[in-house]
Amino acid sequence: LPRGVHIPDAYSNGSSDDQEFIQNLALFLTGFFKNHITALEPTPEHQAALLIGLEYLLGISYVEDTEVFKVCLDYWNHLVCDLFQSECNTEPQSFGFRGMGAPQPSSTRKELYSVPMSKLRLLMVSRMAKPEEVIVVEDENGNIVRETMKDSDVLAQYKQMRETLVYLAHLDHNDTQSQMLEKLALQLNGEEYSWATLNSLCWGIGSISGSMMEEMENKFLVTVIRDLLNLCEFTRGKDHKAIIASNIMYVVGQYPRFLRAHWKFLKTVVNKLFEFMHEVHPGVQDMACDTFLKIARKCKRKFVIQQLHEAEPFVCELLR
């Protein structure tokens, strides 16, 4: 398998033997690295072989085969957890998704893996599984519909991908942000716009909530929401707007800390949710209600206390 080969194409266009070879290569690389990777890290010669192996594994991770991706994802989760542990003062047991320990200054090991980890961040936001909160989906005929049944396998995959991406975010916040914002920019200019690409990206953005310092998270989220609202504004077609609306709702619902700290933004978001509640598109109404309920529970004090420059508590305005 030459290094320049596009492995997903080779897999989809290959014979059953070719596909079996790629499956076995994934099993071999993940098994070997899981047990022997530390033996390859000390010397430059072995490091070069290690990075080539990870490059192959990244290529295999883009193969459109659920079982192959599960094998790769399981290893990536193992590797980033190991890297985070080696970079962190805290034990992994104390690693929560809110306010976890920050990594130490860059180490030789972290630098060794910086390039494959950057490529892995792109992989995660390109293939992110659907979270439970999202109920606006595309059916087998390409129509946008309301989801009727949850897929437990997809939910389990989302949880593992979310954990992997949170570890990756802590290893390098700046690269995580830049990867996501660059991909979002490609949605705005139309170069990469598609429902699937936008969905995966927004699910990835929502999954890293709480992993950044508050100031950094605020700037990042303002940019994301602004770009998504702009995309919703100039995109034509009910289905397109439904997909963008579901992504806006999912992202804002994942960042209650930001909403609590920015009253004007919270008010704008809630008004937008009420606008979405009047949409007749399948799933959009329900998701708007679910998101409003989630925000109301997590930001409840903001609704009942009279805010600065407001004539009355926001709940009174909503009830009218």
Side-chain angles (χ1 to χ4, degrees):
L1 189 64
R3 284 178 67 187
V5 168
H6 188 262
I7 295 176
D9 286 348
Y11 187 89
S12 59
N13 300 324
S15 64
S16 57
D17 286 345
D18 294 333
Q19 292 181 349
E20 188 177 350
F21 171 75
I22 291 173
Q23 290 166 6
N24 288 334
L25 181 58
L27 289 168
F28 167 74
L29 288 171
T30 55
F32 182 82
F33 286 151
K34 196 173 280 189
N35 291 293
H36 304 293
I37 199 165
T38 51
L40 299 173
E41 292 175 353
T43 65
E45 183 185 355
H46 291 155
Q47 286 175 6
L50 164 62
L51 294 174
I52 291 170
L54 291 176
E55 186 182 310
Y56 273 112
L57 197 57
L58 281 162
I60 295 170
S61 300
Y62 280 98
V63 165
E64 292 293 336
D65 182 291
T66 305
E67 295 308 312
V68 171
F69 184 65
K70 279 182 181 176
V71 169
C72 297
L73 175 61
D74 185 59
Y75 176 68
W76 292 127
N77 182 262
H78 168 83
L79 177 61
V80 296
C81 177
D82 182 45
L83 282 172
F84 183 81
Q85 286 179 28
S86 67
E87 294 297 317
C88 221
N89 288 321
T90 55
E91 291 296 320
Q93 287 79 7
S94 65
F95 171 43
F97 288 109
R98 309 247 173 242
M100 64 183 82
Q104 296 169 340
S106 185
S107 68
T108 305
R109 192 164 188 243
K110 183 178 171 182
E111 288 169 5
L112 170 63
Y113 291 102
S114 62
V115 173
M117 290 304 98
S118 180
K119 291 178 179 177
L120 182 58
R121 290 182 189 97
L122 182 60
L123 168 70
M124 288 294 122
V125 298
S126 299
R127 298 204 61 173
M128 197 71 190
K130 186 178 76 63
E132 188 172 10
E133 296 91 335
V134 177
I135 58 175
V136 179
V137 296
E138 184 179 0
D139 68 10
E140 62 274 10
N141 300 316
N143 301 314
I144 299 303
V145 297
R146 186 192 190 284
E147 185 180 54
T148 54
M149 189 179 298
K150 299 292 182 186
D151 187 328
S152 56
D153 286 344
V154 172
L155 293 178
Q157 184 174 304
Y158 168 74
K159 287 174 183 175
Q160 191 173 30
M161 293 186 78
R162 178 189 64 189
E163 182 180 65
T164 304
L165 193 52
V166 169
Y167 280 128
L168 286 166
H170 275 267
L171 288 169
D172 192 333
H173 292 110
N174 292 326
D175 185 63
T176 304
Q177 275 199 34
S178 63
Q179 294 268 17
M180 290 176 167
L181 293 178
E182 283 170 23
K183 202 158 181 65
L184 185 56
L186 293 173
Q187 297 294 300
L188 280 166
N189 64 26
E191 283 185 40
E192 273 191 14
Y193 178 75
S194 73
W195 294 344
T197 309
L198 182 64
N199 284 341
S200 295
L201 173 60
C202 291
W203 299 340
I205 290 170
S207 72
I208 62 168
S209 168
S211 66
M212 295 176 248
M213 296 295 288
E214 191 168 354
E215 187 179 347
M216 178 183 275
E217 183 178 271
N218 289 350
K219 290 178 182 176
F220 172 65
L221 195 61
V222 165
T223 304
V224 168
I225 299 301
R226 184 196 63 209
D227 287 353
L228 286 173
L229 288 171
N230 286 339
L231 188 62
C232 191
E233 194 68 33
F234 67 68
T235 302
R236 296 288 171 262
K238 282 283 185 183
D239 283 352
H240 291 290
K241 285 186 177 291
I243 287 290
I244 298 166
S246 77
N247 283 311
I248 291 171
M249 289 187 283
Y250 174 68
V251 171
V252 296
Q254 290 299 105
Y255 287 87
R257 179 175 70 175
F258 175 83
L259 295 176
R260 285 194 296 267
H262 298 83
W263 160 247
K264 290 290 185 186
F265 195 89
L266 171 59
K267 187 177 179 181
T268 302
V269 164
V270 171
N271 287 332
K272 195 71 178 173
L273 287 174
F274 272 79
E275 187 182 311
F276 289 149
M277 286 177 199
H278 291 89
E279 281 285 339
V280 293
H281 207 287
V284 174
Q285 272 189 345
D286 294 332
M287 193 167 172
C289 293
D290 291 347
T291 306
F292 173 70
L293 183 60
K294 183 177 181 179
I295 290 173
R297 283 173 174 160
K298 293 188 175 180
C299 308
K300 49 185 176 284
R301 285 182 59 80
K302 295 292 178 182
F303 288 83
V304 296
I305 294 174
Q306 186 172 328
Q307 303 296 325
L308 192 65
H309 306 307
E310 298 289 345
E312 59 186 358
F314 190 39
V315 68
C316 299
E317 187 179 327
L318 293 176
L319 290 171
R320 284 203 301 275

